[in-house]
mmCIF file of all heavy atoms in Angstrom:
data_model
loop_
_atom_site.group_PDB
_atom_site.id
_atom_site.type_symbol
_atom_site.label_atom_id
_atom_site.label_comp_id
_atom_site.label_asym_id
_atom_site.label_seq_id
_atom_site.Cartn_x
_atom_site.Cartn_y
_atom_site.Cartn_z
ATOM 1 N N GLY A 1 -283.611 -20.874 -157.915
ATOM 2 C CA GLY A 1 -283.148 -21.973 -157.080
ATOM 3 C C GLY A 1 -281.655 -21.912 -156.832
ATOM 4 O O GLY A 1 -280.940 -21.072 -157.397
ATOM 5 N N THR A 2 -281.177 -22.824 -156.009
ATOM 6 C CA THR A 2 -279.761 -22.926 -155.667
ATOM 7 C C THR A 2 -279.189 -24.183 -156.301
ATOM 8 O O THR A 2 -279.776 -25.268 -156.194
ATOM 9 C CB THR A 2 -279.583 -22.988 -154.140
ATOM 10 O OG1 THR A 2 -280.187 -21.834 -153.541
ATOM 11 C CG2 THR A 2 -278.101 -23.030 -153.775
ATOM 12 N N VAL A 3 -278.053 -24.051 -156.988
ATOM 13 C CA VAL A 3 -277.440 -25.176 -157.680
ATOM 14 C C VAL A 3 -276.872 -26.146 -156.654
ATOM 15 O O VAL A 3 -276.025 -25.779 -155.835
ATOM 16 C CB VAL A 3 -276.326 -24.704 -158.640
ATOM 17 C CG1 VAL A 3 -275.664 -25.892 -159.329
ATOM 18 C CG2 VAL A 3 -276.899 -23.738 -159.673
ATOM 19 N N ARG A 4 -277.338 -27.405 -156.688
ATOM 20 C CA ARG A 4 -276.870 -28.426 -155.760
ATOM 21 C C ARG A 4 -276.034 -29.501 -156.455
ATOM 22 O O ARG A 4 -275.226 -30.169 -155.816
ATOM 23 C CB ARG A 4 -278.064 -29.095 -155.058
ATOM 24 C CG ARG A 4 -278.707 -28.227 -154.014
ATOM 25 C CD ARG A 4 -277.800 -28.084 -152.795
ATOM 26 N NE ARG A 4 -278.362 -27.205 -151.785
ATOM 27 C CZ ARG A 4 -277.934 -25.974 -151.539
ATOM 28 N NH1 ARG A 4 -276.931 -25.478 -152.255
ATOM 29 N NH2 ARG A 4 -278.485 -25.244 -150.601
ATOM 30 N N GLN A 5 -276.192 -29.665 -157.774
ATOM 31 C CA GLN A 5 -275.433 -30.696 -158.491
ATOM 32 C C GLN A 5 -275.206 -30.256 -159.935
ATOM 33 O O GLN A 5 -276.129 -29.779 -160.594
ATOM 34 C CB GLN A 5 -276.181 -32.039 -158.473
ATOM 35 C CG GLN A 5 -275.427 -33.173 -159.173
ATOM 36 C CD GLN A 5 -276.226 -34.461 -159.203
ATOM 37 O OE1 GLN A 5 -277.377 -34.488 -158.749
ATOM 38 N NE2 GLN A 5 -275.633 -35.525 -159.729
ATOM 39 N N ILE A 6 -273.964 -30.418 -160.418
ATOM 40 C CA ILE A 6 -273.611 -30.201 -161.819
ATOM 41 C C ILE A 6 -273.090 -31.533 -162.343
ATOM 42 O O ILE A 6 -272.048 -32.012 -161.908
ATOM 43 C CB ILE A 6 -272.560 -29.090 -161.980
ATOM 44 C CG1 ILE A 6 -273.108 -27.753 -161.461
ATOM 45 C CG2 ILE A 6 -272.148 -28.950 -163.453
ATOM 46 C CD1 ILE A 6 -272.106 -26.619 -161.500
ATOM 47 N N ALA A 7 -273.806 -32.120 -163.291
ATOM 48 C CA ALA A 7 -273.514 -33.496 -163.705
ATOM 49 C C ALA A 7 -272.909 -33.581 -165.108
ATOM 50 O O ALA A 7 -273.020 -34.607 -165.758
ATOM 51 C CB ALA A 7 -274.792 -34.330 -163.640
ATOM 52 N N PHE A 8 -272.259 -32.506 -165.581
ATOM 53 C CA PHE A 8 -271.632 -32.569 -166.908
ATOM 54 C C PHE A 8 -270.296 -31.834 -166.875
ATOM 55 O O PHE A 8 -270.063 -30.983 -166.016
ATOM 56 C CB PHE A 8 -272.542 -31.955 -167.972
ATOM 57 C CG PHE A 8 -272.672 -30.449 -167.872
ATOM 58 C CD1 PHE A 8 -271.842 -29.604 -168.605
ATOM 59 C CD2 PHE A 8 -273.636 -29.880 -167.051
ATOM 60 C CE1 PHE A 8 -271.966 -28.228 -168.511
ATOM 61 C CE2 PHE A 8 -273.758 -28.501 -166.952
ATOM 62 C CZ PHE A 8 -272.918 -27.675 -167.677
ATOM 63 N N GLU A 9 -269.437 -32.180 -167.827
ATOM 64 C CA GLU A 9 -268.156 -31.510 -167.992
ATOM 65 C C GLU A 9 -268.247 -30.553 -169.173
ATOM 66 O O GLU A 9 -268.808 -30.892 -170.220
ATOM 67 C CB GLU A 9 -267.029 -32.519 -168.238
ATOM 68 C CG GLU A 9 -266.743 -33.430 -167.056
ATOM 69 C CD GLU A 9 -266.173 -32.668 -165.868
ATOM 70 O OE1 GLU A 9 -265.546 -31.602 -166.103
ATOM 71 O OE2 GLU A 9 -266.361 -33.120 -164.727
ATOM 72 N N SER A 10 -267.701 -29.375 -169.033
ATOM 73 C CA SER A 10 -267.739 -28.389 -170.110
ATOM 74 C C SER A 10 -267.089 -28.950 -171.370
ATOM 75 O O SER A 10 -266.011 -29.539 -171.326
ATOM 76 C CB SER A 10 -267.021 -27.112 -169.678
ATOM 77 O OG SER A 10 -267.663 -26.534 -168.564
ATOM 78 N N GLY A 11 -267.775 -28.778 -172.512
ATOM 79 C CA GLY A 11 -267.237 -29.227 -173.792
ATOM 80 C C GLY A 11 -267.461 -30.689 -174.097
ATOM 81 O O GLY A 11 -266.992 -31.176 -175.130
ATOM 82 N N SER A 12 -268.172 -31.406 -173.249
ATOM 83 C CA SER A 12 -268.376 -32.844 -173.468
ATOM 84 C C SER A 12 -269.609 -33.087 -174.329
ATOM 85 O O SER A 12 -270.447 -32.204 -174.531
ATOM 86 C CB SER A 12 -268.531 -33.556 -172.129
ATOM 87 O OG SER A 12 -269.677 -33.077 -171.433
ATOM 88 N N ASN A 13 -269.709 -34.311 -174.828
ATOM 89 C CA ASN A 13 -270.894 -34.739 -175.567
ATOM 90 C C ASN A 13 -271.906 -35.321 -174.588
ATOM 91 O O ASN A 13 -271.534 -36.112 -173.703
ATOM 92 C CB ASN A 13 -270.531 -35.784 -176.618
ATOM 93 C CG ASN A 13 -269.678 -35.206 -177.737
ATOM 94 O OD1 ASN A 13 -269.933 -34.098 -178.205
ATOM 95 N ND2 ASN A 13 -268.675 -35.940 -178.164
ATOM 96 N N VAL A 14 -273.149 -34.946 -174.728
ATOM 97 C CA VAL A 14 -274.197 -35.415 -173.827
ATOM 98 C C VAL A 14 -275.292 -36.079 -174.650
ATOM 99 O O VAL A 14 -275.452 -35.812 -175.851
ATOM 100 C CB VAL A 14 -274.786 -34.259 -172.994
ATOM 101 C CG1 VAL A 14 -273.702 -33.645 -172.109
ATOM 102 C CG2 VAL A 14 -275.404 -33.189 -173.885
ATOM 103 N N ARG A 15 -276.038 -36.957 -174.004
ATOM 104 C CA ARG A 15 -277.134 -37.677 -174.642
ATOM 105 C C ARG A 15 -278.474 -37.096 -174.209
ATOM 106 O O ARG A 15 -278.586 -36.459 -173.149
ATOM 107 C CB ARG A 15 -277.079 -39.160 -174.266
ATOM 108 C CG ARG A 15 -275.748 -39.844 -174.517
ATOM 109 C CD ARG A 15 -275.424 -39.957 -175.984
ATOM 110 N NE ARG A 15 -276.375 -40.823 -176.672
ATOM 111 C CZ ARG A 15 -276.336 -41.069 -177.986
ATOM 112 N NH1 ARG A 15 -275.396 -40.495 -178.734
ATOM 113 N NH2 ARG A 15 -277.214 -41.881 -178.539
ATOM 114 N N ARG A 16 -279.459 -37.316 -175.040
ATOM 115 C CA ARG A 16 -280.794 -36.822 -174.728
ATOM 116 C C ARG A 16 -281.295 -37.416 -173.420
ATOM 117 O O ARG A 16 -281.187 -38.625 -173.190
ATOM 118 C CB ARG A 16 -281.755 -37.189 -175.861
ATOM 119 C CG ARG A 16 -283.184 -36.725 -175.623
ATOM 120 C CD ARG A 16 -284.070 -37.110 -176.779
ATOM 121 N NE ARG A 16 -285.444 -36.676 -176.549
ATOM 122 C CZ ARG A 16 -286.452 -36.884 -177.382
ATOM 123 N NH1 ARG A 16 -286.215 -37.551 -178.523
ATOM 124 N NH2 ARG A 16 -287.672 -36.454 -177.102
ATOM 125 N N GLY A 17 -281.840 -36.567 -172.552
ATOM 126 C CA GLY A 17 -282.347 -36.997 -171.255
ATOM 127 C C GLY A 17 -281.303 -37.063 -170.167
ATOM 128 O O GLY A 17 -281.637 -37.316 -169.002
ATOM 129 N N GLN A 18 -280.029 -36.827 -170.482
ATOM 130 C CA GLN A 18 -278.968 -36.899 -169.479
ATOM 131 C C GLN A 18 -279.104 -35.755 -168.485
ATOM 132 O O GLN A 18 -279.382 -34.611 -168.849
ATOM 133 C CB GLN A 18 -277.609 -36.843 -170.163
ATOM 134 C CG GLN A 18 -276.423 -36.896 -169.202
ATOM 135 C CD GLN A 18 -275.093 -36.878 -169.951
ATOM 136 O OE1 GLN A 18 -275.006 -37.332 -171.091
ATOM 137 N NE2 GLN A 18 -274.076 -36.354 -169.311
ATOM 138 N N LEU A 19 -278.923 -36.057 -167.191
ATOM 139 C CA LEU A 19 -278.981 -35.039 -166.150
ATOM 140 C C LEU A 19 -277.810 -34.073 -166.299
ATOM 141 O O LEU A 19 -276.653 -34.488 -166.441
ATOM 142 C CB LEU A 19 -278.943 -35.689 -164.767
ATOM 143 C CG LEU A 19 -278.866 -34.734 -163.569
ATOM 144 C CD1 LEU A 19 -280.120 -33.890 -163.471
ATOM 145 C CD2 LEU A 19 -278.618 -35.511 -162.277
ATOM 146 N N LEU A 20 -278.112 -32.783 -166.271
ATOM 147 C CA LEU A 20 -277.072 -31.760 -166.396
ATOM 148 C C LEU A 20 -276.892 -30.982 -165.092
ATOM 149 O O LEU A 20 -275.792 -30.904 -164.556
ATOM 150 C CB LEU A 20 -277.422 -30.793 -167.540
ATOM 151 C CG LEU A 20 -277.580 -31.427 -168.932
ATOM 152 C CD1 LEU A 20 -277.987 -30.380 -169.947
ATOM 153 C CD2 LEU A 20 -276.310 -32.137 -169.354
ATOM 154 N N VAL A 21 -277.985 -30.406 -164.605
ATOM 155 C CA VAL A 21 -277.923 -29.582 -163.385
ATOM 156 C C VAL A 21 -279.157 -29.881 -162.541
ATOM 157 O O VAL A 21 -280.267 -30.010 -163.065
ATOM 158 C CB VAL A 21 -277.859 -28.069 -163.730
ATOM 159 C CG1 VAL A 21 -277.916 -27.229 -162.462
ATOM 160 C CG2 VAL A 21 -276.595 -27.746 -164.516
ATOM 161 N N ARG A 22 -278.932 -29.977 -161.233
ATOM 162 C CA ARG A 22 -280.054 -30.176 -160.301
ATOM 163 C C ARG A 22 -280.028 -29.043 -159.287
ATOM 164 O O ARG A 22 -278.997 -28.746 -158.676
ATOM 165 C CB ARG A 22 -279.934 -31.518 -159.601
ATOM 166 C CG ARG A 22 -281.203 -31.903 -158.829
ATOM 167 C CD ARG A 22 -280.947 -33.121 -157.948
ATOM 168 N NE ARG A 22 -280.477 -34.261 -158.715
ATOM 169 C CZ ARG A 22 -281.269 -35.123 -159.338
ATOM 170 N NH1 ARG A 22 -282.582 -34.947 -159.303
ATOM 171 N NH2 ARG A 22 -280.765 -36.147 -159.989
ATOM 172 N N PHE A 23 -281.223 -28.418 -159.084
ATOM 173 C CA PHE A 23 -281.355 -27.369 -158.082
ATOM 174 C C PHE A 23 -281.831 -27.971 -156.755
ATOM 175 O O PHE A 23 -282.260 -29.121 -156.698
ATOM 176 C CB PHE A 23 -282.358 -26.296 -158.544
ATOM 177 C CG PHE A 23 -281.912 -25.518 -159.750
ATOM 178 C CD1 PHE A 23 -282.832 -24.816 -160.513
ATOM 179 C CD2 PHE A 23 -280.575 -25.475 -160.120
ATOM 180 C CE1 PHE A 23 -282.426 -24.095 -161.627
ATOM 181 C CE2 PHE A 23 -280.160 -24.755 -161.220
ATOM 182 C CZ PHE A 23 -281.090 -24.068 -161.982
ATOM 183 N N ASP A 24 -281.745 -27.158 -155.735
ATOM 184 C CA ASP A 24 -282.207 -27.588 -154.414
ATOM 185 C C ASP A 24 -283.733 -27.714 -154.430
ATOM 186 O O ASP A 24 -284.450 -26.752 -154.690
ATOM 187 C CB ASP A 24 -281.779 -26.561 -153.364
ATOM 188 C CG ASP A 24 -282.192 -26.982 -151.969
ATOM 189 O OD1 ASP A 24 -282.511 -28.176 -151.784
ATOM 190 O OD2 ASP A 24 -282.194 -26.127 -151.058
ATOM 191 N N THR A 25 -284.233 -28.924 -154.149
ATOM 192 C CA THR A 25 -285.679 -29.178 -154.149
ATOM 193 C C THR A 25 -286.137 -29.765 -152.818
ATOM 194 O O THR A 25 -287.161 -30.445 -152.757
ATOM 195 C CB THR A 25 -286.041 -30.149 -155.302
ATOM 196 O OG1 THR A 25 -285.288 -31.369 -155.147
ATOM 197 C CG2 THR A 25 -285.751 -29.534 -156.653
ATOM 198 N N SER A 26 -285.368 -29.524 -151.771
ATOM 199 C CA SER A 26 -285.706 -30.123 -150.476
ATOM 200 C C SER A 26 -287.079 -29.655 -149.978
ATOM 201 O O SER A 26 -287.882 -30.454 -149.476
ATOM 202 C CB SER A 26 -284.627 -29.790 -149.441
ATOM 203 O OG SER A 26 -284.450 -28.380 -149.338
ATOM 204 N N ALA A 27 -287.381 -28.370 -150.157
ATOM 205 C CA ALA A 27 -288.675 -27.854 -149.689
ATOM 206 C C ALA A 27 -289.809 -28.463 -150.516
ATOM 207 O O ALA A 27 -290.840 -28.883 -149.961
ATOM 208 C CB ALA A 27 -288.694 -26.330 -149.795
ATOM 209 N N GLU A 28 -289.635 -28.530 -151.825
ATOM 210 C CA GLU A 28 -290.680 -29.082 -152.683
ATOM 211 C C GLU A 28 -290.886 -30.571 -152.409
ATOM 212 O O GLU A 28 -292.022 -31.081 -152.457
ATOM 213 C CB GLU A 28 -290.330 -28.870 -154.156
ATOM 214 C CG GLU A 28 -290.449 -27.440 -154.652
ATOM 215 C CD GLU A 28 -289.238 -26.596 -154.281
ATOM 216 O OE1 GLU A 28 -288.286 -27.146 -153.683
ATOM 217 O OE2 GLU A 28 -289.257 -25.381 -154.568
ATOM 218 N N GLU A 29 -289.802 -31.314 -152.126
ATOM 219 C CA GLU A 29 -289.934 -32.737 -151.843
ATOM 220 C C GLU A 29 -290.700 -32.963 -150.540
ATOM 221 O O GLU A 29 -291.499 -33.919 -150.433
ATOM 222 C CB GLU A 29 -288.555 -33.384 -151.778
ATOM 223 C CG GLU A 29 -287.880 -33.480 -153.154
ATOM 224 C CD GLU A 29 -286.457 -33.987 -153.066
ATOM 225 O OE1 GLU A 29 -285.960 -34.170 -151.932
ATOM 226 O OE2 GLU A 29 -285.829 -34.186 -154.127
#
């Protein structure tokens, strides 16, 4: 896939279930 969104900062603390990366899903949608 193609990376469309990066929702985290390198080196940060993240929580379970937090969105990290979203690929292009326009065709699948």
Side-chain angles (χ1 to χ4, degrees):
T2 303
V3 178
R4 286 289 178 254
Q5 182 183 3
I6 298 176
F8 71 93
E9 294 293 334
S10 298
S12 62
N13 292 318
V14 298
R15 307 293 295 178
R16 180 180 179 181
Q18 179 178 332
L19 175 65
L20 301 177
V21 175
R22 191 190 303 275
F23 294 161
D24 182 17
T25 57
S26 56
E28 288 80 3
E29 289 174 355

